[in-house]
């Protein structure tokens, strides 16, 4: 999948594409999804710094914009962080609010099933083009199927649905070593493989694991 970067000469059009994808995703869901995404879109259009990927607005100001109380703001921002759409870049300190960022790749992955509702021209424009480096890597041989025990096969299926080539290249070779105290440990076939997944793909892996099993708080990549 092409990762949209809202920079350069076509930045304005790319911003509209991201917002359009969010809109289509919201409209295809229930009232709770619609309300949550509408609130995030309100923050993006009024307070989000696209160039720096920063959102620095206090809960009181957000509550006023959303016409809700601060308790609702805390709840919905926690939901957005749980989805992986919003991330904490710098935690708030005394007298300063937290600085948040958006994971645009995660947003586009989650909204992709609804792109066709916008139109085939949108799918062609957003879904094609130069691929990120990690999804162009082709393994020397196709990995063996993931064993059927534990939670990892189901998590791997989620990752394959998002990006089959990326899953074949980097995720299917991982093996589950067990879960302890909310931490899922996966074994990589080599040190290089483990380092690459930790550096480039761990965020996507953690989100898939948490969405499959909410008790998984962390994922560790190790080697034999």
């Amino acid at each position: 999948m092409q990762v949209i970067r809202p920079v350069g000469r076509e930045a304005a059009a790319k911003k509209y594409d991201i917002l359009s994808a969010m809109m289509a995703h919201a409209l295809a869901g229930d009232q709770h999804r619609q309300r949550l995404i509408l609130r995030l879109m309100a923050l993006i259009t009024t307070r989000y710094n696209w160039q720096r990927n920063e959102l620095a607005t206090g809960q009181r100001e957000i509550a006023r914009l959303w016409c809700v109380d601060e308790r609702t703001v805390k709840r919905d921002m926690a939901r957005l962080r749980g989805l992986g759409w919003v991330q904490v870049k710098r935690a708030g300190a005394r007298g300063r609010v937290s600085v948040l960022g958006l994971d645009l790749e995660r947003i586009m992955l989650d909204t992709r099933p609804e792109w066709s509702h916008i139109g085939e021209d949108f799918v062609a424009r957003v879904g094609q083009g130069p691929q990120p480096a990690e999804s162009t890597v082709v393994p020397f041989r196709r990995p063996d199927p993931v064993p059927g025990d534990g939670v990892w096969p189901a998590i791997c299926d989620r990752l394959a649905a998002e990006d089959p080539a990326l899953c074949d290249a980097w995720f299917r070779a991982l093996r589950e070593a067990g879960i302890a105290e909310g931490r899922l440990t996966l074994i990589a076939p080599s040190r290089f493989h483990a380092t690459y997944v930790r550096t480039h793909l761990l965020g996507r892996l953690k989100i898939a694991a948490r969405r499959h099993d909410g008790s998984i708080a962390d994922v560790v990549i190790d080697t034999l």
Side-chain angles (χ1 to χ4, degrees), residues 141 143-147 149 151-153 155-156 167-179 183-198 202 205 218-224:
R141 65 179 182 83
D144 297 329
V146 177
D149 297 330
V151 300
W152 176 234
I155 296 171
C156 198
C167 184
D168 284 347
W170 296 105
F171 293 131
R172 288 198 184 280
L174 302 175
R175 293 294 179 262
E176 182 176 341
I179 301 177
R183 177 179 297 172
L184 170 64
T185 299
L186 299 173
I187 303 300
S190 68
R191 183 176 298 177
F192 169 78
H193 198 113
T195 300
Y196 190 92
V197 172
R198 290 191 204 106
L202 191 57
L205 190 52
D218 195 14
V219 178
V220 175
I221 309 299
D222 208 343
T223 54
L224 293 175

Side-chain angles (χ1 to χ4, degrees), residues 47-65:
R47 291 291 183 263
Y48 179 58
N49 186 319
W50 289 93
Q51 290 187 328
R52 300 176 62 178
N53 185 23
E54 289 185 354
L55 177 64
T57 305
Q59 291 181 354
R60 183 177 302 174
E61 289 74 19
I62 296 175
R64 183 169 60 245
L65 174 65

Side-chain angles (χ1 to χ4, degrees), residues 45-112:
T45 55
T46 60
R47 291 291 183 263
Y48 179 58
N49 186 319
W50 289 93
Q51 290 187 328
R52 300 176 62 178
N53 185 23
E54 289 185 354
L55 177 64
T57 305
Q59 291 181 354
R60 183 177 302 174
E61 289 74 19
I62 296 175
R64 183 169 60 245
L65 174 65
W66 289 358
C67 300
V68 298
D69 55 31
E70 292 185 42
R71 184 175 181 179
T72 300
V73 173
K74 292 180 182 179
R75 183 196 65 208
D76 279 5
M77 294 305 289
R79 290 174 62 192
L80 291 167
R81 290 194 302 272
L83 288 172
W85 287 28
V86 171
Q87 300 173 335
V88 178
K89 297 182 68 174
R90 291 193 298 277
R94 188 171 184 178
R96 293 184 299 177
V97 300
S98 298
V99 177
L100 308 175
L102 300 182
D103 188 336
L104 298 179
E105 180 183 8
R106 182 73 257 167
I107 290 173
M108 296 307 286
L109 282 169
D110 286 346
T111 60
R112 183 165 55 179

Side-chain angles (χ1 to χ4, degrees), residues 96-143:
R96 293 184 299 177
V97 300
S98 298
V99 177
L100 308 175
L102 300 182
D103 188 336
L104 298 179
E105 180 183 8
R106 182 73 257 167
I107 290 173
M108 296 307 286
L109 282 169
D110 286 346
T111 60
R112 183 165 55 179
E114 288 77 41
W115 290 358
S116 61
H117 299 178
I118 301 173
E120 294 305 318
D121 58 328
F122 182 87
V123 176
R125 181 174 67 254
V126 176
Q128 298 179 358
Q131 301 294 307
E134 60 262 32
S135 45
T136 60
V137 177
V138 179
F140 292 108
R141 65 179 182 83
R142 190 174 183 84

